[in-house]
Amino acid sequence: MKPLLDFAIRRFEVLESTNTTACELAKDGAPEGTVVLAGRQTGGRGRFGRSFFSPEGTGLYFSIILRPTAQPLYLTTAAAVAVAQAAEAVTGKPMGIKWVNDVYCNGQKVCGILTEGGFANGKLDYAVLGIGINVAPPAEGFPAELAGKAGALWDTPVAAEAVESLLNEILCRFAKSYTALEKKPFLEAYRRLSLLDGKTVELLAPDGRILEQATVEGIGDEFELLVRGSDGNPRALSSGEVSIKL
Ligand code: BTN
């Protein structure tokens, strides 16, 4: 039987953003499973309009073109689990997920994920799943605004083979989840990897204002963050962002 996801990797030395190129290719009809990978990005994009620092030689930056039929939120959570488990397998270090989709190692963010979609006739035509991983610390260190917050999988530069095997591990694990996306086979793994259980977090408005403090009680069946607010009432957060010191 033909696998549901056939990966074809298109490699570029430099791109503004692998997500932007992948969106253009998807609009032009590129097949599901096309992977756009760049050695560095000049305008790497993050969530909430932020930029993603993407220097040469120390990161893995790629975007996968998908044409999903299930709830697109599952793509991001499936990818976060695939990255965390692949990184654990390749480095031997424990990883964790900060809701919704940041992967952490030793209290520092090592991977960000940005999912974008394109619509045609009112329906999702394609999704682009962009993954950026700090493989090793950049030669000049992280920019001041990331210092202390961003980390890398390894402390020193690693051989290209290790990065290649990380990529393969991620793609294989993600493909497995993707073929059964609506059944969420990665939900329990996501819960185990979640770093926020029992922690007090600050709920932030999109402009960064602190709305309130809440205590995290778990992850819901739709990957909502289950919290108890400062008023003592339980709430399920399905979007937004939480800030927490790890
Ligand atoms: C975030 O942490 O806010 C998400 C960062 C996502 C970065 C990746 S790198 C590959 C792909 N191309 C982009 O421009 N962004 C994503």
Side-chain angles (χ1 to χ4, degrees), residues 17-19 41 44-47 52 62-63 109 112-113 130-132:
S17 154
T18 58
N19 263 33
Q41 300 182 112
R45 294 187 284 111
R47 296 170 69 222
F52 188 79
F62 64 100
S63 303
K109 176 170 163 175
I113 301 172
I131 299 177

Side-chain angles (χ1 to χ4, degrees), residues 140-153:
E140 298 82 31
F142 287 101
E145 67 274 17
L146 298 178
K149 295 182 194 153
L153 294 184

Side-chain angles (χ1 to χ4, degrees), residues 203 212-215 217 226-236:
L203 307 185
E212 65 168 305
Q213 283 203 331
T215 305
E217 300 196 321
L226 306 178
V227 300
R228 193 161 293 269
S230 37
D231 56 5
N233 291 326
R235 310 232 310 266

Side-chain angles (χ1 to χ4, degrees), residues 16-20 36 41 43-54 60-63 101-102 109 111-116 128-133 241:
E16 184 181 323
S17 154
T18 58
N19 263 33
T20 304
V36 177
Q41 300 182 112
R45 294 187 284 111
R47 296 170 69 222
F48 307 108
R50 295 181 194 131
S51 59
F52 188 79
F53 182 59
S54 315
L60 176 59
Y61 319 111
F62 64 100
S63 303
N101 55 10
D102 290 339
K109 176 170 163 175
C111 167
I113 301 172
L114 175 68
T115 306
E116 298 181 294
V128 162
L129 178 66
I131 299 177
I133 301 174
E241 194 185 25

Side-chain angles (χ1 to χ4, degrees), residues 152-176:
L153 294 184
W154 283 279
D155 299 332
T156 50
V158 284
E161 291 74 32
V163 181
E164 214 48 35
S165 96
L166 175 66
L167 174 65
N168 284 333
E169 287 278 340
I170 295 169
L171 294 179
C172 288
R173 285 164 200 268
F174 177 75
K176 229 168 151 186

